[in-house]
Amino acid sequence: MIPNSLRFRLLGAAVAIIVLAVQFAGLMVLVLFERNVISLVHDELDTALDQLAASLTLQEDGRPSLSGQLPDVRFRQRLAGRYWQVSADGQPILRSASLGEGALQIESASEAGRNAWRQALVGPDKQKLYASIRRIAPSPAARGQSVKPYVLIVAMDVAEIGALDALNSQLRSNVFMALGLLAVILIAAAWAQVSIGLHPLELLRTGVENIRVGKARRLSDDVPTEVQPLVTEANRLLAAQEKAIEAARARAGDLAHGLKTPLTAVSMVAEKLRQRQDPELAEELEQQLTGLKAHVERELTRTRSAANSTVTQRTSVHPLAARLLRTMERLPRGDRLAWRLDCEPDFAAPVEEVDLAEILGNLLDNARKWARSEVIVAAKSAAGGVELTIEDDGPGVSEPDRALVMRRGARLDESVPGSGLGLNIARAVVEAYGGMMALESSARGGLLVRLSFPRQPSR
């Protein structure tokens, strides 16, 4: 699976962005609401101020009067929270009925140099008011009449603004509740988006793992378009790798074929020297040939193992082992032995077919030489891997000698034909696949060779 750390990092980044965005949206909603509340208060006061200015007229004697009443009935109700006043030279001349006998006092400094402003005032019954103030000069009633400026005041009780603040607080709670729910929904959507977005990478990871354990040879093309170029290039790389492996295998085969004939010819020369009564030279030559053969076999095994160490294939054990057993029956002593195969038809080992044939061929040939009557090949699943055993009823190998026979060229009995390379070659190939080869005592008194391979070799 895709590591959870990556999922959590992506989700954490998404959550952080969502939280910041939701907080910013909530802040903007509240700021806009507060601005609208303040704008509503200002509009109401300015509208009443405009109506007061429009109703203000001068009589022929120069005294100001109102041509009509302001529409809001609260101006006509005592202490109703809406107040207006017209003053001149700092003294009230006209006022609303809601003021009663009281008056609105403004700071004289506020009058200097300004025609309109807003100010907090103290109203009747010590009410806290918020007022819009404007200085005007009404049109004279008669030509030549002198006109002095008047100050118009319209005020409202701050408690009403407080009610709007309470509404703002309630809105704040509702907004944050709604935005919190929205954040939860967005986080869930982000988790779904991260999971869906990483799904193609999970498909690629599974495909690569299947190739590594030998279940597939190529990545599937059934992937989203966004990752299709990556899949195409990866499959091209795998194809090139397979060609390189085949080339390495071919070179190893060519080397073996090219050295086989010269080594055979030199062996014949050694035999002729022995026939000509020169055993010392023949013995020395044969020793050199043995060393040379061992070196060639070792290098061929390394080359093949290195070629197979990149991509693991899976090989069905039953058909390959059955074919090798039929071959063993045709070799000397093979027809006198009982060959048994204990393996499920579809059982597979995580080893390339050629290498598995190399391993089993060497071990079966060794068992053919030493078994008295029977050889058993078995394959089964083991804890965390695959296990193969080759068992015979021969003389076996004592525990102190088991390390010796695993060495290249080591032989315990020179009377039996062989080069002493089979066990060493088999172990080298097994270890190239991350496996282990062990020699044990058979229940039939002979030798049991146990091969253990991991299900998913570490390459």
Side-chain angles (χ1 to χ4, degrees):
M1 296 179 62
I2 298 296
N4 285 332
S5 60
L6 176 59
R7 296 179 186 271
F8 290 147
R9 285 198 298 270
L10 293 176
L11 182 61
V15 169
I17 294 174
I18 290 172
V19 170
L20 291 176
V22 167
Q23 288 181 343
F24 179 75
L27 180 62
M28 291 302 298
V29 168
L30 296 177
V31 169
L32 291 176
F33 180 79
E34 289 178 359
R35 288 185 177 180
N36 287 333
V37 168
I38 294 174
S39 177
L40 179 64
V41 170
H42 289 172
D43 288 344
E44 184 175 349
L45 293 176
D46 291 344
T47 299
L49 199 59
D50 290 340
Q51 294 171 348
L52 180 62
S55 300
L56 183 64
T57 60
L58 294 179
Q59 299 178 4
E60 292 183 358
D61 58 1
R63 290 183 300 171
S65 65
L66 293 183
S67 60
Q69 296 289 337
L70 271 63
D72 195 335
V73 296
R74 287 176 292 184
F75 288 112
R76 298 188 290 276
Q77 298 174 355
R78 181 174 174 78
L79 304 178
R82 290 292 188 277
Y83 310 99
W84 64 261
Q85 177 179 291
V86 178
S87 60
D89 298 327
Q91 299 298 320
I93 301 175
L94 298 173
R95 56 186 141 192
S96 63
S98 57
L99 276 173
E101 298 300 325
L104 301 176
Q105 300 295 328
I106 62 174
E107 299 177 3
S108 58
S110 301
E111 301 184 28
R114 288 191 290 179
N115 291 325
W117 67 95
R118 307 184 194 280
Q119 182 180 324
L121 302 177
V122 176
D125 201 18
K126 299 189 181 299
Q127 288 180 320
K128 293 182 178 180
L129 306 179
Y130 183 69
S132 286
I133 306 171
R134 185 182 303 170
R135 191 194 311 273
I136 65 171
S139 300
R143 185 184 300 271
Q145 185 180 38
S146 63
V147 177
K148 57 182 176 180
Y150 293 93
V151 176
L152 279 60
I153 306 171
V154 175
M156 67 182 298
D157 194 343
V158 174
E160 295 187 26
I161 302 177
L164 293 177
D165 289 338
L167 179 62
N168 188 21
S169 299
Q170 183 180 0
L171 176 65
R172 183 182 297 109
S173 300
N174 293 336
V175 165
F176 280 115
M177 185 180 300
L179 291 179
L181 179 60
L182 176 61
V184 172
I185 296 174
L186 292 177
I187 291 173
W191 173 255
Q193 185 177 15
V194 168
S195 299
I196 295 173
L198 292 180
H199 183 64
L201 298 182
E202 177 65 19
L203 293 178
L204 290 181
R205 187 203 65 81
T206 303
V208 172
E209 182 179 7
N210 289 336
I211 292 173
R212 183 173 66 86
V213 300
K215 294 182 179 179
R217 299 173 65 88
R218 295 288 187 275
L219 293 175
S220 173
D221 291 332
D222 187 17
V223 294
T225 306
E226 291 77 7
V227 296
Q228 184 62 52
L230 176 61
V231 171
T232 301
E233 292 302 321
N235 286 334
R236 289 177 180 174
L237 178 61
L238 290 171
Q241 188 179 60
E242 286 186 357
K243 290 181 180 180
I245 291 173
E246 291 299 325
R249 192 183 300 281
R251 287 195 296 270
D254 293 343
L255 178 60
H257 181 76
L259 292 175
K260 182 177 180 181
T261 300
L263 290 175
T264 302
V266 176
S267 298
M268 294 176 63
V269 171
E271 183 62 26
K272 288 180 180 180
L273 288 174
R274 181 176 285 104
Q275 292 174 2
R276 292 179 182 179
Q277 306 301 319
D278 196 350
E280 292 183 0
L281 183 58
E283 182 68 24
E284 181 180 355
L285 188 57
E286 286 179 347
Q287 291 178 357
Q288 296 298 325
L289 284 174
T290 299
L292 182 58
K293 288 180 180 179
H295 180 73
V296 170
E297 289 291 341
R298 181 169 62 252
E299 293 305 319
L300 290 177
T301 300
R302 288 178 178 175
T303 301
R304 184 166 57 249
S305 298
N308 291 327
S309 64
T310 52
V311 179
T312 302
Q313 303 294 330
R314 300 183 67 84
T315 302
S316 296
V317 176
H318 191 282
L320 176 62
R323 186 169 66 250
L324 291 173
L325 293 183
R326 289 193 296 270
T327 301
M328 292 296 145
E329 290 176 348
R330 300 188 185 97
L331 298 178
R333 296 189 75 251
D335 56 347
R336 291 183 289 170
L337 301 175
W339 300 89
R340 288 174 50 194
L341 177 58
D342 183 10
C343 177
E344 295 293 331
D346 58 348
F347 187 82
V351 185
E352 208 276 335
E353 183 176 356
V354 175
D355 292 328
L356 186 58
E358 178 79 15
I359 296 168
L360 294 180
N362 280 290
L363 297 178
L364 290 174
D365 189 57
N366 186 73
R368 175 186 63 82
K369 297 173 183 177
W370 296 99
R372 293 189 178 94
S373 62
E374 185 180 35
V375 178
I376 302 175
V377 180
K380 64 179 181 178
S381 296
V386 171
E387 185 176 277
L388 283 75
T389 57
I390 297 90
E391 184 178 4
D392 64 63
D393 59 353
V397 178
S398 63
E399 188 170 350
D401 292 333
R402 290 172 188 171
L404 175 63
V405 298
M406 295 284 276
R407 298 176 184 172
R408 181 170 295 275
R411 299 173 61 190
L412 297 180
D413 189 347
E414 298 290 340
S415 64
V416 178
S419 61
L421 301 176
L423 292 177
N424 188 272
I425 292 173
R427 184 177 69 172
V429 179
V430 170
E431 290 178 351
Y433 281 88
M436 294 180 60
M437 177 174 147
L439 304 182
E440 303 175 6
S441 296
S442 168
R444 294 171 175 78
L447 178 67
L448 184 145
V449 182
R450 189 182 304 277
L451 309 175
S452 301
F453 295 97
R455 288 190 183 277
Q456 298 180 358
S458 178
R459 295 290 180 168

PDB file of all heavy atoms in Angstrom, residues 123-153:
ATOM      1  N   GLY A 123     -28.112  61.607  26.186  1.00  0.00           N
ATOM      2  CA  GLY A 123     -29.467  62.060  25.979  1.00  0.00           C
ATOM      3  C   GLY A 123     -30.237  62.186  27.270  1.00  0.00           C
ATOM      4  O   GLY A 123     -29.669  62.116  28.367  1.00  0.00           O
ATOM      5  N   PRO A 124     -31.540  62.354  27.153  1.00  0.00           N
ATOM      6  CA  PRO A 124     -32.389  62.440  28.346  1.00  0.00           C
ATOM      7  C   PRO A 124     -32.334  61.143  29.141  1.00  0.00           C
ATOM      8  O   PRO A 124     -32.156  60.056  28.573  1.00  0.00           O
ATOM      9  CB  PRO A 124     -33.780  62.695  27.766  1.00  0.00           C
ATOM     10  CG  PRO A 124     -33.707  62.164  26.363  1.00  0.00           C
ATOM     11  CD  PRO A 124     -32.303  62.409  25.895  1.00  0.00           C
ATOM     12  N   ASP A 125     -32.494  61.293  30.432  1.00  0.00           N
ATOM     13  CA  ASP A 125     -32.414  60.129  31.327  1.00  0.00           C
ATOM     14  C   ASP A 125     -31.068  59.438  31.187  1.00  0.00           C
ATOM     15  O   ASP A 125     -30.962  58.207  31.339  1.00  0.00           O
ATOM     16  CB  ASP A 125     -33.565  59.164  31.047  1.00  0.00           C
ATOM     17  CG  ASP A 125     -33.835  58.243  32.230  1.00  0.00           C
ATOM     18  OD1 ASP A 125     -33.371  58.577  33.348  1.00  0.00           O
ATOM     19  OD2 ASP A 125     -34.458  57.186  32.029  1.00  0.00           O
ATOM     20  N   LYS A 126     -30.043  60.264  30.861  1.00  0.00           N
ATOM     21  CA  LYS A 126     -28.654  59.783  30.736  1.00  0.00           C
ATOM     22  C   LYS A 126     -28.508  58.600  29.749  1.00  0.00           C
ATOM     23  O   LYS A 126     -27.671  57.714  29.908  1.00  0.00           O
ATOM     24  CB  LYS A 126     -28.101  59.381  32.099  1.00  0.00           C
ATOM     25  CG  LYS A 126     -28.075  60.542  33.088  1.00  0.00           C
ATOM     26  CD  LYS A 126     -27.328  60.179  34.339  1.00  0.00           C
ATOM     27  CE  LYS A 126     -27.319  61.344  35.329  1.00  0.00           C
ATOM     28  NZ  LYS A 126     -26.659  62.543  34.774  1.00  0.00           N
ATOM     29  N   GLN A 127     -29.321  58.600  28.741  1.00  0.00           N
ATOM     30  CA  GLN A 127     -29.179  57.597  27.682  1.00  0.00           C
ATOM     31  C   GLN A 127     -27.922  57.877  26.862  1.00  0.00           C
ATOM     32  O   GLN A 127     -27.575  59.022  26.600  1.00  0.00           O
ATOM     33  CB  GLN A 127     -30.401  57.612  26.759  1.00  0.00           C
ATOM     34  CG  GLN A 127     -31.668  57.052  27.369  1.00  0.00           C
ATOM     35  CD  GLN A 127     -32.815  57.125  26.370  1.00  0.00           C
ATOM     36  OE1 GLN A 127     -32.940  58.120  25.643  1.00  0.00           O
ATOM     37  NE2 GLN A 127     -33.635  56.094  26.339  1.00  0.00           N
ATOM     38  N   LYS A 128     -27.272  56.800  26.439  1.00  0.00           N
ATOM     39  CA  LYS A 128     -26.128  56.937  25.539  1.00  0.00           C
ATOM     40  C   LYS A 128     -26.651  56.926  24.115  1.00  0.00           C
ATOM     41  O   LYS A 128     -27.344  55.983  23.696  1.00  0.00           O
ATOM     42  CB  LYS A 128     -25.135  55.789  25.746  1.00  0.00           C
ATOM     43  CG  LYS A 128     -24.454  55.822  27.120  1.00  0.00           C
ATOM     44  CD  LYS A 128     -23.439  54.698  27.256  1.00  0.00           C
ATOM     45  CE  LYS A 128     -22.744  54.769  28.609  1.00  0.00           C
ATOM     46  NZ  LYS A 128     -21.729  53.672  28.774  1.00  0.00           N
ATOM     47  N   LEU A 129     -26.295  57.993  23.401  1.00  0.00           N
ATOM     48  CA  LEU A 129     -26.797  58.154  22.049  1.00  0.00           C
ATOM     49  C   LEU A 129     -25.655  58.171  21.036  1.00  0.00           C
ATOM     50  O   LEU A 129     -24.502  58.482  21.368  1.00  0.00           O
ATOM     51  CB  LEU A 129     -27.601  59.456  21.934  1.00  0.00           C
ATOM     52  CG  LEU A 129     -28.737  59.664  22.937  1.00  0.00           C
ATOM     53  CD1 LEU A 129     -29.402  61.012  22.676  1.00  0.00           C
ATOM     54  CD2 LEU A 129     -29.740  58.525  22.863  1.00  0.00           C
ATOM     55  N   TYR A 130     -26.041  57.866  19.812  1.00  0.00           N
ATOM     56  CA  TYR A 130     -25.117  57.981  18.684  1.00  0.00           C
ATOM     57  C   TYR A 130     -25.792  58.874  17.670  1.00  0.00           C
ATOM     58  O   TYR A 130     -26.933  58.602  17.252  1.00  0.00           O
ATOM     59  CB  TYR A 130     -24.810  56.619  18.090  1.00  0.00           C
ATOM     60  CG  TYR A 130     -23.802  56.652  16.962  1.00  0.00           C
ATOM     61  CD1 TYR A 130     -22.466  56.959  17.216  1.00  0.00           C
ATOM     62  CD2 TYR A 130     -24.182  56.394  15.654  1.00  0.00           C
ATOM     63  CE1 TYR A 130     -21.540  56.985  16.190  1.00  0.00           C
ATOM     64  CE2 TYR A 130     -23.263  56.426  14.618  1.00  0.00           C
ATOM     65  CZ  TYR A 130     -21.937  56.725  14.887  1.00  0.00           C
ATOM     66  OH  TYR A 130     -21.026  56.762  13.866  1.00  0.00           O
ATOM     67  N   ALA A 131     -25.096  59.983  17.267  1.00  0.00           N
ATOM     68  CA  ALA A 131     -25.768  61.021  16.495  1.00  0.00           C
ATOM     69  C   ALA A 131     -25.044  61.332  15.200  1.00  0.00           C
ATOM     70  O   ALA A 131     -23.819  61.211  15.099  1.00  0.00           O
ATOM     71  CB  ALA A 131     -25.881  62.287  17.330  1.00  0.00           C
ATOM     72  N   SER A 132     -25.840  61.729  14.220  1.00  0.00           N
ATOM     73  CA  SER A 132     -25.324  62.341  12.996  1.00  0.00           C
ATOM     74  C   SER A 132     -25.632  63.832  13.071  1.00  0.00           C
ATOM     75  O   SER A 132     -26.775  64.232  13.379  1.00  0.00           O
ATOM     76  CB  SER A 132     -26.000  61.730  11.760  1.00  0.00           C
ATOM     77  OG  SER A 132     -25.505  60.442  11.518  1.00  0.00           O
ATOM     78  N   ILE A 133     -24.631  64.677  12.805  1.00  0.00           N
ATOM     79  CA  ILE A 133     -24.751  66.124  12.991  1.00  0.00           C
ATOM     80  C   ILE A 133     -24.394  66.804  11.681  1.00  0.00           C
ATOM     81  O   ILE A 133     -23.424  66.419  11.012  1.00  0.00           O
ATOM     82  CB  ILE A 133     -23.827  66.600  14.120  1.00  0.00           C
ATOM     83  CG1 ILE A 133     -24.104  65.798  15.412  1.00  0.00           C
ATOM     84  CG2 ILE A 133     -24.004  68.094  14.360  1.00  0.00           C
ATOM     85  CD1 ILE A 133     -23.103  66.053  16.516  1.00  0.00           C
ATOM     86  N   ARG A 134     -25.173  67.815  11.350  1.00  0.00           N
ATOM     87  CA  ARG A 134     -24.920  68.524  10.093  1.00  0.00           C
ATOM     88  C   ARG A 134     -25.179  70.022  10.325  1.00  0.00           C
ATOM     89  O   ARG A 134     -26.122  70.393  11.004  1.00  0.00           O
ATOM     90  CB  ARG A 134     -25.825  68.000   8.990  1.00  0.00           C
ATOM     91  CG  ARG A 134     -25.541  68.592   7.613  1.00  0.00           C
ATOM     92  CD  ARG A 134     -26.519  68.051   6.596  1.00  0.00           C
ATOM     93  NE  ARG A 134     -26.478  66.581   6.533  1.00  0.00           N
ATOM     94  CZ  ARG A 134     -27.371  65.853   5.858  1.00  0.00           C
ATOM     95  NH1 ARG A 134     -28.374  66.460   5.226  1.00  0.00           N
ATOM     96  NH2 ARG A 134     -27.262  64.534   5.831  1.00  0.00           N
ATOM     97  N   ARG A 135     -24.318  70.847   9.722  1.00  0.00           N
ATOM     98  CA  ARG A 135     -24.471  72.306   9.786  1.00  0.00           C
ATOM     99  C   ARG A 135     -25.063  72.774   8.452  1.00  0.00           C
ATOM    100  O   ARG A 135     -24.521  72.438   7.382  1.00  0.00           O
ATOM    101  CB  ARG A 135     -23.109  72.965  10.011  1.00  0.00           C
ATOM    102  CG  ARG A 135     -23.188  74.453  10.350  1.00  0.00           C
ATOM    103  CD  ARG A 135     -21.805  75.091  10.221  1.00  0.00           C
ATOM    104  NE  ARG A 135     -20.804  74.315  10.922  1.00  0.00           N
ATOM    105  CZ  ARG A 135     -20.493  74.431  12.205  1.00  0.00           C
ATOM    106  NH1 ARG A 135     -21.149  75.291  12.936  1.00  0.00           N
ATOM    107  NH2 ARG A 135     -19.535  73.698  12.744  1.00  0.00           N
ATOM    108  N   ILE A 136     -26.165  73.509   8.496  1.00  0.00           N
ATOM    109  CA  ILE A 136     -26.809  73.974   7.259  1.00  0.00           C
ATOM    110  C   ILE A 136     -27.163  75.461   7.395  1.00  0.00           C
ATOM    111  O   ILE A 136     -27.227  76.012   8.506  1.00  0.00           O
ATOM    112  CB  ILE A 136     -28.095  73.182   6.939  1.00  0.00           C
ATOM    113  CG1 ILE A 136     -29.163  73.424   8.005  1.00  0.00           C
ATOM    114  CG2 ILE A 136     -27.800  71.695   6.774  1.00  0.00           C
ATOM    115  CD1 ILE A 136     -30.515  72.849   7.642  1.00  0.00           C
ATOM    116  N   ALA A 137     -27.417  76.070   6.242  1.00  0.00           N
ATOM    117  CA  ALA A 137     -27.902  77.465   6.197  1.00  0.00           C
ATOM    118  C   ALA A 137     -29.170  77.461   5.362  1.00  0.00           C
ATOM    119  O   ALA A 137     -29.103  77.396   4.127  1.00  0.00           O
ATOM    120  CB  ALA A 137     -26.838  78.386   5.608  1.00  0.00           C
ATOM    121  N   PRO A 138     -30.355  77.513   5.971  1.00  0.00           N
ATOM    122  CA  PRO A 138     -31.600  77.427   5.200  1.00  0.00           C
ATOM    123  C   PRO A 138     -31.823  78.669   4.333  1.00  0.00           C
ATOM    124  O   PRO A 138     -31.261  79.741   4.582  1.00  0.00           O
ATOM    125  CB  PRO A 138     -32.677  77.318   6.290  1.00  0.00           C
ATOM    126  CG  PRO A 138     -32.062  77.921   7.502  1.00  0.00           C
ATOM    127  CD  PRO A 138     -30.601  77.637   7.425  1.00  0.00           C
ATOM    128  N   SER A 139     -32.625  78.498   3.343  1.00  0.00           N
ATOM    129  CA  SER A 139     -32.938  79.624   2.442  1.00  0.00           C
ATOM    130  C   SER A 139     -33.763  80.675   3.182  1.00  0.00           C
ATOM    131  O   SER A 139     -34.676  80.343   3.953  1.00  0.00           O
ATOM    132  CB  SER A 139     -33.733  79.121   1.224  1.00  0.00           C
ATOM    133  OG  SER A 139     -32.966  78.156   0.525  1.00  0.00           O
ATOM    134  N   PRO A 140     -33.482  82.001   3.001  1.00  0.00           N
ATOM    135  CA  PRO A 140     -34.230  83.059   3.701  1.00  0.00           C
ATOM    136  C   PRO A 140     -35.659  83.135   3.181  1.00  0.00           C
ATOM    137  O   PRO A 140     -35.938  82.825   2.030  1.00  0.00           O
ATOM    138  CB  PRO A 140     -33.434  84.318   3.380  1.00  0.00           C
ATOM    139  CG  PRO A 140     -32.714  84.010   2.108  1.00  0.00           C
ATOM    140  CD  PRO A 140     -32.418  82.548   2.138  1.00  0.00           C
ATOM    141  N   ALA A 141     -36.573  83.543   4.063  1.00  0.00           N
ATOM    142  CA  ALA A 141     -37.988  83.656   3.676  1.00  0.00           C
ATOM    143  C   ALA A 141     -38.239  84.915   2.849  1.00  0.00           C
ATOM    144  O   ALA A 141     -39.190  84.986   2.080  1.00  0.00           O
ATOM    145  CB  ALA A 141     -38.876  83.665   4.926  1.00  0.00           C
ATOM    146  N   ALA A 142     -37.418  85.924   3.039  1.00  0.00           N
ATOM    147  CA  ALA A 142     -37.613  87.184   2.293  1.00  0.00           C
ATOM    148  C   ALA A 142     -36.264  87.677   1.790  1.00  0.00           C
ATOM    149  O   ALA A 142     -35.218  87.369   2.366  1.00  0.00           O
ATOM    150  CB  ALA A 142     -38.266  88.238   3.203  1.00  0.00           C
ATOM    151  N   ARG A 143     -36.333  88.478   0.696  1.00  0.00           N
ATOM    152  CA  ARG A 143     -35.115  88.995   0.109  1.00  0.00           C
ATOM    153  C   ARG A 143     -34.408  89.921   1.105  1.00  0.00           C
ATOM    154  O   ARG A 143     -35.042  90.735   1.762  1.00  0.00           O
ATOM    155  CB  ARG A 143     -35.430  89.756  -1.170  1.00  0.00           C
ATOM    156  CG  ARG A 143     -34.194  90.243  -1.941  1.00  0.00           C
ATOM    157  CD  ARG A 143     -34.624  91.070  -3.141  1.00  0.00           C
ATOM    158  NE  ARG A 143     -35.449  90.285  -4.030  1.00  0.00           N
ATOM    159  CZ  ARG A 143     -34.956  89.544  -5.006  1.00  0.00           C
ATOM    160  NH1 ARG A 143     -33.669  89.479  -5.200  1.00  0.00           N
ATOM    161  NH2 ARG A 143     -35.786  88.864  -5.786  1.00  0.00           N
ATOM    162  N   GLY A 144     -33.110  89.761   1.216  1.00  0.00           N
ATOM    163  CA  GLY A 144     -32.329  90.612   2.103  1.00  0.00           C
ATOM    164  C   GLY A 144     -32.325  90.152   3.538  1.00  0.00           C
ATOM    165  O   GLY A 144     -31.706  90.806   4.380  1.00  0.00           O
ATOM    166  N   GLN A 145     -33.048  89.064   3.829  1.00  0.00           N
ATOM    167  CA  GLN A 145     -33.088  88.560   5.203  1.00  0.00           C
ATOM    168  C   GLN A 145     -31.774  87.874   5.527  1.00  0.00           C
ATOM    169  O   GLN A 145     -31.259  87.084   4.749  1.00  0.00           O
ATOM    170  CB  GLN A 145     -34.259  87.582   5.369  1.00  0.00           C
ATOM    171  CG  GLN A 145     -34.458  87.104   6.796  1.00  0.00           C
ATOM    172  CD  GLN A 145     -35.641  86.142   6.899  1.00  0.00           C
ATOM    173  OE1 GLN A 145     -35.855  85.336   6.008  1.00  0.00           O
ATOM    174  NE2 GLN A 145     -36.427  86.301   7.948  1.00  0.00           N
ATOM    175  N   SER A 146     -31.187  88.207   6.691  1.00  0.00           N
ATOM    176  CA  SER A 146     -29.927  87.569   7.086  1.00  0.00           C
ATOM    177  C   SER A 146     -30.215  86.173   7.623  1.00  0.00           C
ATOM    178  O   SER A 146     -31.196  85.957   8.337  1.00  0.00           O
ATOM    179  CB  SER A 146     -29.225  88.420   8.160  1.00  0.00           C
ATOM    180  OG  SER A 146     -30.021  88.505   9.328  1.00  0.00           O
ATOM    181  N   VAL A 147     -29.336  85.241   7.274  1.00  0.00           N
ATOM    182  CA  VAL A 147     -29.505  83.841   7.669  1.00  0.00           C
ATOM    183  C   VAL A 147     -28.243  83.386   8.384  1.00  0.00           C
ATOM    184  O   VAL A 147     -27.132  83.584   7.888  1.00  0.00           O
ATOM    185  CB  VAL A 147     -29.760  82.939   6.441  1.00  0.00           C
ATOM    186  CG1 VAL A 147     -29.866  81.488   6.874  1.00  0.00           C
ATOM    187  CG2 VAL A 147     -31.037  83.381   5.728  1.00  0.00           C
ATOM    188  N   LYS A 148     -28.422  82.843   9.547  1.00  0.00           N
ATOM    189  CA  LYS A 148     -27.284  82.278  10.266  1.00  0.00           C
ATOM    190  C   LYS A 148     -27.337  80.752  10.180  1.00  0.00           C
ATOM    191  O   LYS A 148     -28.413  80.176  10.011  1.00  0.00           O
ATOM    192  CB  LYS A 148     -27.312  82.739  11.724  1.00  0.00           C
ATOM    193  CG  LYS A 148     -28.573  82.402  12.473  1.00  0.00           C
ATOM    194  CD  LYS A 148     -28.511  82.958  13.877  1.00  0.00           C
ATOM    195  CE  LYS A 148     -29.821  82.702  14.629  1.00  0.00           C
ATOM    196  NZ  LYS A 148     -29.786  83.242  15.999  1.00  0.00           N
ATOM    197  N   PRO A 149     -26.200  80.092  10.330  1.00  0.00           N
ATOM    198  CA  PRO A 149     -26.189  78.630  10.202  1.00  0.00           C
ATOM    199  C   PRO A 149     -26.863  77.969  11.401  1.00  0.00           C
ATOM    200  O   PRO A 149     -26.814  78.476  12.533  1.00  0.00           O
ATOM    201  CB  PRO A 149     -24.703  78.303  10.148  1.00  0.00           C
ATOM    202  CG  PRO A 149     -24.018  79.413  10.839  1.00  0.00           C
ATOM    203  CD  PRO A 149     -24.852  80.640  10.560  1.00  0.00           C
ATOM    204  N   TYR A 150     -27.479  76.847  11.124  1.00  0.00           N
ATOM    205  CA  TYR A 150     -28.122  76.042  12.155  1.00  0.00           C
ATOM    206  C   TYR A 150     -27.440  74.672  12.201  1.00  0.00           C
ATOM    207  O   TYR A 150     -26.959  74.156  11.180  1.00  0.00           O
ATOM    208  CB  TYR A 150     -29.612  75.858  11.868  1.00  0.00           C
ATOM    209  CG  TYR A 150     -30.387  77.140  11.976  1.00  0.00           C
ATOM    210  CD1 TYR A 150     -30.601  77.938  10.849  1.00  0.00           C
ATOM    211  CD2 TYR A 150     -30.892  77.560  13.198  1.00  0.00           C
ATOM    212  CE1 TYR A 150     -31.306  79.126  10.943  1.00  0.00           C
ATOM    213  CE2 TYR A 150     -31.597  78.746  13.292  1.00  0.00           C
ATOM    214  CZ  TYR A 150     -31.806  79.520  12.173  1.00  0.00           C
ATOM    215  OH  TYR A 150     -32.492  80.691  12.270  1.00  0.00           O
ATOM    216  N   VAL A 151     -27.427  74.084  13.374  1.00  0.00           N
ATOM    217  CA  VAL A 151     -26.859  72.731  13.557  1.00  0.00           C
ATOM    218  C   VAL A 151     -28.020  71.777  13.777  1.00  0.00           C
ATOM    219  O   VAL A 151     -28.805  71.954  14.715  1.00  0.00           O
ATOM    220  CB  VAL A 151     -25.878  72.683  14.744  1.00  0.00           C
ATOM    221  CG1 VAL A 151     -25.399  71.252  14.966  1.00  0.00           C
ATOM    222  CG2 VAL A 151     -24.701  73.612  14.500  1.00  0.00           C
ATOM    223  N   LEU A 152     -28.122  70.764  12.905  1.00  0.00           N
ATOM    224  CA  LEU A 152     -29.177  69.750  12.970  1.00  0.00           C
ATOM    225  C   LEU A 152     -28.585  68.472  13.560  1.00  0.00           C
ATOM    226  O   LEU A 152     -27.503  68.018  13.144  1.00  0.00           O
ATOM    227  CB  LEU A 152     -29.759  69.458  11.595  1.00  0.00           C
ATOM    228  CG  LEU A 152     -30.826  70.441  11.066  1.00  0.00           C
ATOM    229  CD1 LEU A 152     -30.259  71.870  10.942  1.00  0.00           C
ATOM    230  CD2 LEU A 152     -31.355  69.962   9.720  1.00  0.00           C
ATOM    231  N   ILE A 153     -29.280  67.922  14.520  1.00  0.00           N
ATOM    232  CA  ILE A 153     -28.818  66.700  15.191  1.00  0.00           C
ATOM    233  C   ILE A 153     -29.927  65.656  15.127  1.00  0.00           C
ATOM    234  O   ILE A 153     -31.086  65.953  15.447  1.00  0.00           O
ATOM    235  CB  ILE A 153     -28.456  66.961  16.667  1.00  0.00           C
ATOM    236  CG1 ILE A 153     -27.449  68.103  16.788  1.00  0.00           C
ATOM    237  CG2 ILE A 153     -27.928  65.689  17.324  1.00  0.00           C
ATOM    238  CD1 ILE A 153     -27.228  68.539  18.227  1.00  0.00           C
TER     239      ILE A 153
END
